[in-house]
Amino acid sequence: MPPNESFMSICFRLLKRYQSVGPIGFVKAPQRFYSPASAPSFTNLATRATSKHQIYISRTLDPFVNLSIEHFLLQKSPVYSTVLFLYVNRPCVVLGRNQNPWLEAGLQLLRTARSPGNSESQDERTVKPHPTEVSLVRRRSGGGTVFHDEGNVNYSVICPTADFNRDKHAEMVVRAIRQHNDRARVNERHDIVLDQAPMRSKEHLPNANDMHNTAYTAATSNLAPLKVSGSAYKLTRLRSLHHGTCLLASPYLNIIPNYLRSPARPFLKARGTESVRSPVGNIYASREASGSTNSVFQRRVVEAFADLHGLEKEAVTAFVDANAEASLQHDADWVTGYINDATADDPDIKHGVTELKSPEWIYEQTPQFVLSSHPTEEDDRARPALPQGLPPATRVYLKVRSGIVTSSRISMSSDEDNANNEAAKIHRVLHERKVHQIVDWQAVLDEAKAFENNPQTRVLAQWLNALFGVQSSSQYQGTTAA
């Protein structure tokens, strides 16, 4: 005991030691705090300077909200932090930042509500179910077009650009997938695939820690790997984002290609990024066999993230087991928890949602493209035959920049002078017209008064409606949509 130390001083000193160390000399576990996941608490914790590691699972299925939360985290989280964000979207087609909706998506199918009165038989709808509504979304990152639904979990990792590489977190996700399917690996395009070849002999099995090879990887095989996860990226000077899909048990697997196929593809030449088509599959053999697919898989990804970044696994996965509707758990240097639709009330996120939903973002961000019914200097590909009922001399040429018609030539006459006159009349109507606002090409042709109202004109209008994903109608009101 130090000289002249009073009894009260000794008690106070021992009390301080107990509070910091705990009984019988063990260091106390860090204190954790809980808060409802309202917009202010989420945004405050996400932007807190000490929030070095952050893990969030979204409760909303709104793709516009989820992508806006993701963008908020990219822009506002501390520059040295690493963030994992997991979310599931309702059915939607998601374009890359520099893609063309008229090239990448079946727009007519997106705009057609599925109902018992459609052209499909009841048997076909039972075998191949269709979603009742599919949104068209353009994200802020690059890459190709993908289809999201409730059988697909999306992952997003945001980290300092100095720590970024394209395989790091794809390998992390493969570690999670391999707890459910040992055929998963990262391929040369940084996508995640399931090998389909027969199992190798024992002497040729790869190391279990090799995330780029499996026991089923074959140098040559007639069975192509099935893609279960595609990646996209957004890189800035200080922050980088890597996000991807994970097809766990999509009920729409067989009809996804219909939503990613445009009838305009043989006629359309676009600048920007064009999607690479790949055969796809589910990680689980069936939805019935998968159980609570999404929540189990999300926990596995959180665990893999904790292992990769040296976090206390029990602490950062506790919120997953609690399964609260909306709650945040946080310590001095990390945040975890569920977030819900209330997060969209934050002004920054609300602004992001408004932007993503706007036609200006979805359509007018499209790089320049040319649609032509015949080979041109810009695009010398052979074209499919014109629809039956159109004159052989029919020519359609449209150049569109930022979703707006800048040049056009549409004619049906075999006489050069008549064809020039037809094209000039139609161009006066189309020039500087926003393509996405045209709700019926019959109305455009009628307004131009370039052709007589005959069956050939109707065939041309129906064909243009199909190419541009317009729901044709025998009755129309005006030529543009609000």
Side-chain angles (χ1 to χ4, degrees):
M1 181 176 70
N4 304 321
E5 185 175 20
S6 68
F7 176 76
M8 290 300 293
S9 297
I10 295 171
C11 292
F12 181 76
R13 179 163 53 83
L14 293 175
L15 179 61
K16 291 286 287 184
R17 182 178 183 278
Y18 179 88
Q19 289 176 331
S20 61
V21 178
I24 62 174
F26 289 110
V27 176
K28 293 175 68 178
Q31 188 175 4
R32 293 161 194 151
F33 304 90
Y34 297 85
S35 63
S38 60
S41 63
F42 162 71
T43 55
N44 289 343
L45 289 169
T47 59
R48 186 183 62 170
T50 60
S51 297
K52 184 178 179 181
H53 292 101
Q54 305 181 36
I55 302 171
Y56 305 107
I57 297 178
S58 176
R59 289 298 203 187
T60 179
L61 299 177
D62 189 324
F64 301 102
V65 173
N66 283 325
L67 287 173
S68 296
I69 293 171
E70 181 182 74
H71 188 60
F72 172 87
L73 290 168
L74 175 65
Q75 290 191 314
K76 302 292 186 179
S77 58
V79 295
Y80 48 81
S81 66
T82 302
V83 182
L84 172 66
F85 178 45
L86 302 173
Y87 57 95
V88 175
N89 287 330
R90 64 175 183 255
C92 57
V93 170
V94 185
L95 305 166
R97 172 67 178 82
N98 300 307
Q99 291 200 292
N100 186 316
W102 294 282
L103 176 66
E104 300 291 344
L107 295 180
Q108 268 195 333
L109 187 57
L110 291 181
R111 293 165 177 164
T112 302
R114 292 284 167 178
S115 66
N118 68 12
S119 60
E120 293 179 323
S121 68
Q122 184 63 43
D123 289 342
E124 183 178 359
R125 287 196 305 277
T126 302
V127 175
K128 296 182 179 180
H130 286 269
T132 56
E133 180 182 351
V134 182
S135 302
L136 180 64
V137 184
R138 184 190 294 276
R139 63 179 181 268
R140 296 180 175 89
S141 62
T145 300
V146 291
F147 184 92
H148 291 179
D149 61 39
E150 290 95 331
N152 170 78
V153 171
N154 302 286
Y155 69 90
S156 176
V157 181
I158 300 164
C159 66
T161 297
D163 298 338
F164 171 82
N165 73 64
R166 293 177 187 269
D167 282 337
K168 181 178 180 179
H169 290 102
E171 292 171 357
M172 175 194 77
V173 174
V174 166
R175 288 188 178 91
I177 294 174
R178 283 190 178 177
Q179 297 184 57
H180 308 279
N181 192 318
D182 63 354
R183 293 176 178 267
R185 66 176 171 90
V186 181
N187 71 5
E188 63 281 355
R189 292 180 51 84
H190 317 289
D191 296 326
I192 299 174
V193 298
L194 299 180
D195 285 324
Q196 300 300 300
M199 188 173 185
R200 299 186 197 179
S201 58
K202 289 184 178 180
E203 60 269 21
H204 294 104
L205 293 180
N207 186 295
N209 292 320
D210 183 352
M211 297 297 110
H212 295 259
N213 289 281
T214 73
Y216 310 92
T217 304
T220 58
S221 173
N222 294 327
L223 299 172
L226 297 179
K227 183 176 176 179
V228 295
S229 174
S231 292
Y233 314 92
K234 185 174 179 62
L235 278 63
T236 68
R237 186 173 63 88
L238 296 176
R239 303 288 278 160
S240 293
L241 177 147
H242 171 190
H243 59 182
T245 56
C246 273
L247 278 167
L248 300 184
S250 170
Y252 306 121
L253 196 65
N254 292 330
I255 56 96
I256 286 176
N258 298 340
Y259 289 91
L260 305 182
R261 183 185 299 128
S262 167
R265 179 170 290 274
F267 304 95
L268 197 152
K269 182 71 172 179
R271 295 180 182 176
T273 304
E274 189 169 334
S275 296
V276 176
R277 265 58 184 173
S278 303
V280 297
N282 280 326
I283 291 168
Y284 291 95
S286 69
R287 195 167 186 86
E288 290 75 16
S290 66
S292 54
T293 307
N294 293 350
S295 58
V296 172
F297 177 73
Q298 287 169 337
R299 192 186 204 287
R300 298 289 181 258
V301 176
V302 171
E303 290 173 345
F305 180 84
D307 287 338
L308 180 62
H309 294 282
L311 304 179
E312 184 188 344
K313 189 183 297 186
E314 183 179 348
V316 299
T317 58
F319 81 99
V320 182
D321 297 329
N323 200 30
E325 180 61 30
S327 65
L328 293 179
Q329 180 178 344
H330 57 96
D331 204 341
D333 60 356
W334 54 259
V335 186
T336 65
Y338 291 102
I339 51 181
N340 59 19
D341 287 295
T343 309
D345 293 334
D346 174 82
D348 286 329
I349 295 172
K350 184 180 291 186
H351 174 78
V353 171
T354 300
E355 180 182 54
L356 289 183
K357 285 184 172 181
S358 69
E360 291 78 14
W361 175 260
I362 296 172
Y363 297 103
E364 295 176 31
Q365 291 293 315
T366 302
Q368 179 177 296
F369 69 92
V370 171
L371 183 141
S372 179
S373 62
H374 54 286
T376 65
E377 291 184 4
E378 300 150 298
D379 182 9
D380 61 0
R381 292 176 298 163
R383 303 296 199 271
L386 293 173
Q388 186 176 2
L390 285 182
T394 300
R395 291 290 184 269
V396 173
Y397 175 91
L398 290 169
K399 179 178 284 187
V400 180
R401 182 180 290 116
S402 300
I404 299 171
V405 177
T406 59
S407 178
S408 71
R409 181 176 177 84
I410 299 177
S411 63
M412 288 195 292
S413 177
S414 57
D415 179 85
E416 184 176 355
D417 290 339
N418 287 340
N420 289 338
N421 184 49
E422 291 169 350
K425 288 181 177 179
I426 295 174
H427 183 66
R428 282 195 291 270
V429 174
L430 280 179
H431 186 53
E432 296 188 351
R433 179 71 62 87
K434 294 181 178 180
V435 175
H436 73 272
Q437 291 185 340
I438 296 175
V439 298
D440 194 334
W441 279 86
Q442 183 69 59
V444 172
L445 300 179
D446 288 351
E447 183 181 346
K449 298 180 180 178
F451 311 118
E452 295 180 4
N453 188 17
N454 58 41
Q456 293 175 336
T457 306
R458 289 193 289 276
V459 172
L460 177 59
Q462 290 168 2
W463 183 51
L464 290 171
N465 281 339
L467 294 183
F468 286 100
V470 175
Q471 289 180 254
S472 58
S473 172
S474 58
Q475 300 293 327
Y476 56 84
Q477 299 291 328
T479 59
T480 61

